[in-house]
Amino acid sequence: MATPPVRKPKKKANPLKIAKVENIDYKDLTLLRRFISDKGKTRSRRVTGLSRKHQAQLAVAVKRAREVALLPYVGER
């Protein structure tokens, strides 16, 4: 009996590349909240589809926004 071929999952498109966003600003809260879970954690690249460069920019922007108190450190329980 032949085994079925293994299908590779389709790669997600980078949402920031589609929207033509080059730099992530820490003051753009609507953009930042898209990549943060309900508990306040940053979502992974595997889930969001971001590139390595954009994920690093996102991490820095979230940290800056939290430091200035634009974003909470923890989500609501």
Side-chain angles (χ1 to χ4, degrees), residues 34-74:
R34 287 176 47 195
F35 301 106
I36 296 177
S37 70
D38 295 337
K39 293 184 178 182
K41 294 183 176 184
T42 307
R43 294 199 171 128
S44 67
R45 288 180 52 205
R46 184 172 46 90
V47 174
T48 59
L50 291 176
S51 66
R52 184 188 57 81
K53 175 184 168 186
H54 283 129
Q55 185 73 20
Q57 286 181 0
L58 175 73
V60 171
V62 168
K63 289 174 186 175
R64 286 181 181 164
R66 286 177 174 160
E67 186 69 27
V68 186
L70 297 175
L71 284 177
Y73 280 95
V74 294

